[in-house]
Amino acid sequence: MRSFKSPASDILQRILMVAATGAAMTLMGCNECPTSEVVASKAATVDASVACASVTTGLDCKAICGGGYNSCSVRDDAFLKAWYGAPESNPQFVCPQDYSAQVNVSCQQIERDTELTFDGCVVDGRRPDGLATFSSNNDSALRSYLAEVTFLEAASVIAFEHIAADLARFGAPKELLDWALRARDDERRHTNAAAGLAKRFGAALVAPEVLTAENRSLFALALENAVEGEVRETYGAALALHRADCAGDDDMRAHLRNIAADECDHAAFSHALAKWIAPRLTRIERVMLEEARERAIETLLEELAIEPSFDIRQIAGVPSATVAQKMARALFAGEMNLAA
Ligand SMILES: [Fe+2]
Ligand SMILES: [Fe+2]
């Protein structure tokens, strides 16, 4: 049986290029990280009810730590473990209001450049066909971003589950099917870790809803894979590499280092899947697929033109609009005639 992970495969070469491009862009991105300075920091404790209320109202830094503090978050592993640490026992991530101990909080006074709003591009997961649009009641751009990242990681679990079911139905090689199932399991881990991070910053989480059409065609699978895998998840792999180096939050960087290799593997899977499907499509379907891929790249570039907010760049390590567009252009330069 052919190995999809052969070192000699074109696909792996492509993924290595993607990873190298992401690393190079990381350096560019770090150079462009916005400047800020933590001028004061302070540890404090709050009641569990206050920590829980932070999901909807945020933490009142001034009330907790005094005037001047403008960034504060829960930094208490034991409390957070009680909140989101065991999804099996607490599947809805219900905040432990009756937690008996005081909850540790960290306050910082940060001098920063301009504050920008964020309503743009989140490319941290693979969207399955029929996924309902994300909407959230979070009260800050960062919380909304972290909630959407978690939403997309959870959606990716469903996406890979559907792909695995399709591959079994279409009689794909076992190695490709197993690869999809491994990716699904990776996304479960990513979802739990992303949920933990989002909770730490007080984000309210939203579960994905997916309307699924049964037994989609091979062409429908190819279309989803072209847009979500070959374009968006491929860019997402480079983005994960970038964020792993540029995120200002220690936990966020550690989380991203863990998932970046998985995301490169998922991008590789997308290209392997496309290669397996291509000879099974008609010539017209292949032309339509190519057009869909080019449209997806154009759409991604448009979305990446929206400047992320200061917090999202600084804490989560998301690149500026300029760097993000450079990364995408470098990744997809060989696939379409991109204007400079
Ligand atoms: Fe993921
Ligand atoms: Fe992924």
Side-chain angles (χ1 to χ4, degrees):
M1 183 183 292
R2 178 187 181 281
S3 170
F4 286 98
K5 288 192 165 182
S6 162
S9 74
D10 294 344
I11 293 152
L12 195 52
Q13 292 299 321
R14 171 80 184 279
I15 295 309
L16 289 172
M17 184 276 286
V18 166
T21 304
M25 291 300 152
T26 291
L27 296 175
M28 295 167 59
C30 285
N31 289 338
E32 294 195 13
C33 283
T35 56
S36 71
E37 188 180 359
V38 178
V39 295
S41 61
K42 188 175 182 178
T45 59
V46 298
D47 291 339
S49 58
V50 173
C52 288
S54 71
V55 170
T56 52
T57 62
L59 290 170
D60 185 343
C61 300
K62 190 176 171 185
I64 296 169
C65 288
Y69 290 95
N70 54 7
S71 174
C72 50
S73 58
V74 173
R75 300 303 298 259
D76 190 316
D77 288 346
F79 173 72
L80 293 170
K81 195 168 180 193
W83 192 343
Y84 63 79
E88 308 79 32
S89 60
N90 185 9
Q92 301 304 314
F93 300 113
V94 176
C95 192
Q97 299 273 354
D98 55 353
Y99 188 78
S100 56
Q102 285 280 292
V103 178
N104 295 315
V105 170
S106 170
C107 299
Q108 291 185 320
Q109 185 180 346
I110 300 176
E111 289 184 354
R112 55 183 57 175
D113 63 3
T114 51
E115 191 77 43
L116 299 167
T117 57
F118 180 77
D119 58 357
C121 184
V122 182
V123 193
D124 291 71
R126 183 175 183 127
R127 300 170 302 187
D129 279 345
L131 177 66
T133 306
F134 170 82
S135 70
S136 104
N137 295 321
N138 282 287
D139 58 355
S140 78
L142 179 64
R143 285 179 177 142
S144 179
Y145 173 78
L146 294 175
E148 189 165 2
V149 167
T150 308
F151 171 89
L152 288 173
E153 293 282 18
S156 300
V157 177
I158 301 167
F160 279 112
E161 205 146 76
H162 289 177
I163 291 169
D166 289 339
L167 291 177
R169 190 160 43 85
F170 292 128
K174 182 175 183 304
E175 193 171 351
L176 197 53
L177 175 57
D178 288 347
W179 197 348
L181 293 172
R182 274 200 313 277
R184 177 201 61 188
D185 294 344
D186 291 341
E187 301 295 10
R188 281 197 178 125
R189 284 199 315 277
H190 298 178
T191 302
N192 285 338
L197 278 170
K199 284 288 186 187
R200 212 194 85 208
F201 284 92
L205 300 183
V206 181
E209 288 180 27
V210 180
L211 293 172
T212 313
E214 294 211 341
N215 292 349
R216 64 180 161 178
S217 67
L218 189 62
F219 179 62
L221 169 61
L223 264 181
E224 182 198 274
N225 185 58
V227 174
E228 297 300 325
E230 292 180 273
V231 176
R232 296 185 79 94
E233 203 166 25
T234 298
Y235 175 76
L239 175 65
L241 287 167
H242 183 283
R243 292 185 58 208
D245 272 3
C246 283
D249 182 78
D250 294 345
D251 293 347
M252 198 91 69
R253 278 201 312 283
H255 163 68
L256 266 301
R257 283 183 189 128
N258 282 333
I259 74 161
D262 292 342
E263 296 303 350
C264 287
D265 187 59
H266 301 172
F269 168 81
S270 303
H271 294 266
L273 178 57
K275 198 164 182 174
W276 179 76
I277 292 177
R280 292 164 176 80
L281 300 176
T282 66
R283 192 176 63 81
I284 291 175
E285 285 175 332
R286 284 199 291 273
V287 170
M288 292 168 67
L289 208 56
E290 190 57 36
E291 289 173 353
R293 195 180 293 114
E294 290 191 8
R295 277 197 305 276
I297 294 170
E298 287 168 357
T299 301
L300 177 65
L301 285 168
E302 287 169 13
E303 293 176 6
L304 293 176
I306 298 170
E307 192 70 70
S309 75
F310 174 88
D311 280 352
I312 291 169
R313 284 184 287 151
Q314 181 72 16
I315 296 173
V318 173
S320 67
T322 303
V323 170
Q325 288 189 309
K326 282 179 182 172
M327 287 170 65
R329 286 178 186 281
L331 276 174
F332 302 118
E335 299 201 16
M336 60 185 300
N337 198 13
L338 296 170

